[in-house]
Amino acid sequence: QNPRNFKTSALWPKELVTTWALDYFGQTNLTNSVYVDCDGSTSVMTQALDPTNCIFNVPIFTKDITFFPILKNSHFTLIIANSREKTLQFYDPMGSKLAIAKIAIASFLKYYKAWCTITGENPIIWKHVGIPVRTIQRDSWNCGVFIMHIMRHLDKGTSTNEIFNPDEIRAAIKKGLLESSDDMYDDCLYCNKPNIDHFYVQCKDCQRWVHGVCTHLNLSPEQWAVEQFQCELCLHHLQL
């Protein structure tokens, strides 16, 4: 997205970054289960999208467990559908009242009914069961990490009661994301294209490069030599 179009309340909304991290984790670390991307799952489970119009881009219910992450009110939760045992579990890293779990499960069942109609699959009679965990999220920022922790153990069939350090998972995800991402440092921050026959200017704060023509400032290279350029992202950040 062009930085000029930013209308968010923060430079990098934590929900966006956590969604990227969750999707990366689900696509690269789970081998015995199916992970549904967070945006699609959230749209269906919060009923923002008509379930009859949504077929996910992964073959759900083809392995024992299918994970459906949900983002609502800046908090991540998880629905765990075990098609072998025919059980549904709702996991909230901070714990939740039974009524909240029932609402989430009801949303899943509404989607599942539509999915069976679309695919012609014989419906499973699901049973809602609890999930045993010892670790409860005590802060306001690690819900996504707790979701990854639970998915990892359920995927491997190991105990979800293990005490763990969220920072270790954060460090591993950060390393994996950076290693699997394209280096865009030399691409124009505004148009995302490389420097091909264009004059480049560098932001004095973040050191990212921008095509001179993309700034719409109509300055000559000589004028840019004395101009202290600041990109839209850094300007936006200063206004927060």
Side-chain angles (χ1 to χ4, degrees):
Q1 184 180 20
N2 190 309
R4 294 180 180 276
N5 298 330
F6 268 16
K7 296 181 180 179
T8 57
S9 59
L11 184 60
W12 286 111
K14 67 182 181 67
E15 295 88 353
L16 177 61
V17 176
T18 305
T19 296
W20 288 344
L22 269 175
D23 287 349
Y24 169 78
F25 181 90
Q27 294 162 8
T28 59
N29 288 265
L30 305 178
T31 57
N32 302 310
S33 51
V34 178
Y35 174 84
V36 178
D37 72 276
C38 191
D39 283 344
S41 178
T42 295
S43 295
V44 170
M45 299 308 163
T46 58
Q47 300 182 21
L49 181 66
D50 184 348
T52 60
N53 294 327
C54 184
I55 293 294
F56 295 121
N57 59 357
V58 293
I60 60 178
F61 309 123
T62 54
K63 296 182 180 180
D64 286 352
I65 297 177
T66 301
F67 295 113
F68 296 88
I70 304 170
L71 170 60
K72 187 175 183 180
N73 298 328
S74 300
H75 183 58
F76 289 88
T77 55
L78 183 70
I79 288 179
I80 305 151
N82 189 320
S83 52
R84 180 173 60 85
E85 298 181 359
K86 302 179 181 180
T87 59
L88 292 176
Q89 296 173 304
F90 176 73
Y91 173 62
D92 182 344
M94 301 187 76
S96 60
K97 296 181 180 179
L98 181 60
I100 296 177
K102 286 183 175 180
I103 292 173
I105 295 299
S107 296
F108 168 84
L109 292 175
K110 179 180 178 181
Y111 167 73
Y112 179 70
K113 181 179 179 180
W115 180 83
C116 288
T117 300
I118 295 170
T119 61
E121 294 286 338
N122 293 324
I124 295 174
I125 306 301
W126 298 98
K127 179 182 179 182
H128 180 202
V129 298
I131 179 170
V133 290
R134 288 178 59 192
T135 52
I136 300 295
Q137 179 190 351
R138 303 296 183 185
D139 52 54
S140 61
W141 60 85
N142 269 320
C143 50
V145 177
F146 275 76
I147 297 293
M148 296 177 206
H149 169 72
I150 289 296
M151 291 195 301
R152 178 179 62 183
H153 281 285
L154 291 176
D155 180 72
K156 294 180 178 179
T158 54
S159 173
T160 56
N161 283 327
E162 175 192 274
I163 302 296
F164 76 106
N165 182 358
D167 290 338
E168 293 179 358
I169 296 181
R170 281 182 170 274
I173 293 298
K174 176 183 177 181
K175 182 174 183 293
L177 280 172
L178 290 174
E179 290 178 348
S180 63
S181 300
D182 295 331
D183 185 358
M184 300 180 65
Y185 178 76
D186 291 327
D187 292 345
C188 174
L189 178 62
Y190 287 5
C191 71
N192 298 323
K193 295 180 180 179
N195 183 21
I196 302 176
D197 299 327
H198 285 293
F199 176 72
Y200 248 5
V201 293
Q202 188 178 38
C203 175
K204 68 182 182 66
D205 292 332
C206 69
Q207 281 75 57
R208 282 292 302 273
W209 294 93
V210 178
H211 294 137
V213 295
C214 291
T215 67
H216 302 293
L217 295 178
N218 297 321
L219 298 180
S220 67
E222 292 75 19
Q223 290 173 307
W224 276 119
V226 296
E227 181 73 19
Q228 291 290 305
F229 173 67
Q230 193 173 35
C231 73
E232 295 287 341
L233 285 179
C234 291
L235 286 172
H236 178 83
H237 184 62
L238 287 174
Q239 296 170 4
L240 299 178

